[in-house]
Amino acid sequence: MNYPNSRLRRLRYNPNVRRLVEDIDLKTSDLIYPIFVCEGENIKEEIVSLPGQYRYSIDKLLILTEELISLDIRSVLLFGVSDNKDDNGKIACSHKSIIPKAVKKIKEKHNNDILVIADLCNCSYTSHGHCGTLIDGDVDNDLTIETLCRQGVILAESGVDIIAPSDMMDGRTGEIRKELDKNGFHKIPIFPYSVKYASSFYGPFRGAVSNSLDEGDRKTHQMSFKNSSDYLREIEQDINEGCDAVIVKPALSYLDVISKVKDRFSIPIIGYCVSGVYSMIKSASRENLIEEIDVTMEILFSIKRAGATAIITYSAIEIARKLNKE
Ligand code: PBG
């Protein structure tokens, strides 16, 4: 039907009508807050590349988690910041490593009041910053999976709720699944970064965990944004290997991918609104060029509209404050 019989603005004049026909919403329970955890005590140190984000020692982390619960942010994604590094990341395969210690403390304090997801990768723990074991300068797929499996079991033993492998090795989801099951952890879900592009939007994150590369890049394992179809095979393989949900990263710039995954597969999708997006918004808003919360809200809604069920975002606290006020 066309104008003048159809007047689309009729649904927009009255704010109550507008609200009635809106069908996308964003709730505090959709938000997953990424946190950087470091060794030491009494540390809450601002990350230069991510203004407003901090590295927390475990004692300070436990104050933060209380604040998150009070804002009704019920999920966190933990990243380790480690000065102890080695050739292949085996250093993280220990209960003395930073994230297993942090998980144990959070769970002791909050039990099921907060969901703890651990990012599983070696890049915070290798001296060269690569995501795994190097052979002839390249990350060796199968050797890297061995350390990931060991780190995964340690995380499970420490009480983590969900494991999120972010390394992009082929076959890691299935191998980690097997290893978890063998050790009695069949109830722990795996949410792999199934779709993870080699993206310049990760720049500010690398300053946070100091995993910048001395040499090489991550293009032999992370995906090329010039390829429009390999995400399908990545998702298919992870589903076949027993993943429970998939993470798409970055989310912004890849909304087309989220939306096609939503159409093709029936699996929960989590979008990762990455560090580069956060820092761009921060600096533009500091220059008074844009309004930080409004722009962030619009981006998060676009990720939900594309088909994500939840969003990992550094803006979770500010957004929750705004949502709680409304
Ligand atoms: C670790 C990892 C990275 C991010 C999340 N997990 C960096 C990378 O792959 O280089 C980036 C997240 C962000 O930019 O917010 N493998």
Side-chain angles (χ1 to χ4, degrees):
M1 202 193 295
N2 288 328
Y3 171 84
N5 290 335
S6 162
R7 286 179 181 268
L8 295 174
R9 291 184 62 197
R10 278 197 290 260
L11 290 178
R12 297 182 198 139
Y13 292 114
N14 179 332
N16 295 325
V17 175
R18 280 204 299 272
R19 265 197 298 269
L20 197 68
V21 297
E22 286 167 356
D23 61 338
I24 307 292
D25 68 351
L26 181 70
K27 311 181 291 299
T28 52
S29 58
D30 298 331
L31 305 171
I32 302 172
Y33 188 50
I35 309 175
F36 300 96
V37 193
C38 64
E39 295 285 355
E41 251 176 74
N42 201 27
I43 299 173
K44 179 182 172 185
E45 174 191 19
E46 190 165 25
I47 299 164
V48 177
S49 55
L50 282 168
Q53 304 301 314
Y54 301 83
R55 294 185 196 89
Y56 294 89
S57 55
I58 292 176
D59 53 331
K60 290 285 188 184
L61 169 69
L62 295 174
I63 298 171
L64 171 67
T65 46
E66 233 168 78
E67 187 193 346
L68 295 176
I69 292 169
S70 75
L71 289 166
D72 203 34
I73 297 170
R74 298 296 179 145
S75 308
V76 294
L77 172 65
L78 301 186
F79 291 101
V81 180
S82 176
D83 298 330
N84 302 326
K85 297 180 191 266
D86 61 20
D87 275 358
N88 48 22
K90 279 208 176 75
I91 195 122
C93 305
S94 153
H95 285 287
K96 294 194 186 119
S97 184
I98 183 69
I99 296 302
K101 284 196 292 192
V103 171
K104 222 172 284 171
K105 290 285 182 196
I106 297 178
K107 284 286 139 182
E108 266 169 31
K109 180 164 184 190
H110 298 296
N111 198 4
N112 271 344
D113 287 344
I114 197 154
L115 184 82
V116 180
I117 309 171
D119 183 272
L120 173 56
C121 194
N122 292 311
C123 62
S124 294
Y125 310 101
T126 54
S127 44
H128 39 70
H130 278 284
C131 299
T133 307
L134 291 184
I135 301 281
D136 297 332
D138 188 33
V139 179
D140 184 84
N141 196 85
D142 299 3
L143 290 176
T144 298
I145 289 181
E146 284 175 28
T147 42
L148 292 173
C149 284
R150 284 173 52 193
Q151 205 195 127
V153 171
I154 298 276
L155 288 167
E157 286 170 352
S158 68
V160 83
D161 292 305
I162 294 172
I163 290 179
S166 67
D167 53 284
M168 291 303 279
M169 295 303 111
D170 283 324
R172 92 287 206 197
T173 299
E175 294 303 313
I176 296 166
R177 182 72 275 156
K178 265 190 245 161
E179 207 55 30
L180 289 178
D181 290 359
K182 205 161 75 192
N183 287 278
F185 297 111
H186 60 277
K187 288 187 185 167
I188 295 193
I190 300 178
F191 289 13
Y193 296 74
S194 300
V195 178
K196 178 172 177 181
Y197 287 93
S199 169
S200 297
F201 284 102
Y202 307 151
F205 176 94
R206 298 201 175 131
V209 299
S210 38
N211 73 344
S212 295
L213 302 180
D214 300 338
E215 266 178 71
D217 55 38
R218 290 176 168 84
K219 291 183 181 162
T220 70
H221 43 103
Q222 298 182 355
M223 296 156 59
S224 164
F225 54 78
K226 298 176 189 168
N227 185 319
S228 70
S229 65
D230 64 348
Y231 74 91
L232 288 168
R233 298 176 71 199
E234 287 285 354
I235 300 251
E236 259 162 26
Q237 291 198 4
D238 272 336
I239 291 177
N240 288 338
E241 289 173 31
C243 74
D244 302 282
V246 296
I247 301 177
V248 175
K249 170 172 158 191
L252 196 63
S253 284
Y254 300 87
L255 296 174
D256 55 328
V257 172
I258 294 180
S259 138
K260 287 181 194 161
V261 171
K262 171 81 177 167
D263 288 345
R264 290 275 289 249
F265 302 94
S266 92
I267 189 148
I269 304 164
I270 297 181
Y272 195 143
C273 197
V274 298
S275 58
V277 172
Y278 173 83
S279 294
M280 284 194 307
I281 296 172
K282 273 280 175 211
S283 63
S285 90
R286 286 185 176 184
E287 299 282 327
N288 285 323
L289 300 175
I290 56 169
E291 214 295 303
E292 180 178 351
I293 296 296
D294 293 346
V295 167
T296 305
M297 227 18 131
E298 195 171 325
I299 290 174
L300 299 185
F301 267 86
S302 75
I303 297 170
K304 291 266 337 242
R305 197 175 62 239
T309 54
I311 306 172
I312 303 163
T313 169
Y314 300 95
S315 307
I317 293 181
E318 287 112 316
I319 293 297
R321 285 204 182 109
K322 171 93 175 167
L323 292 174
N324 291 337
K325 241 191 266 164
E326 279 170 2

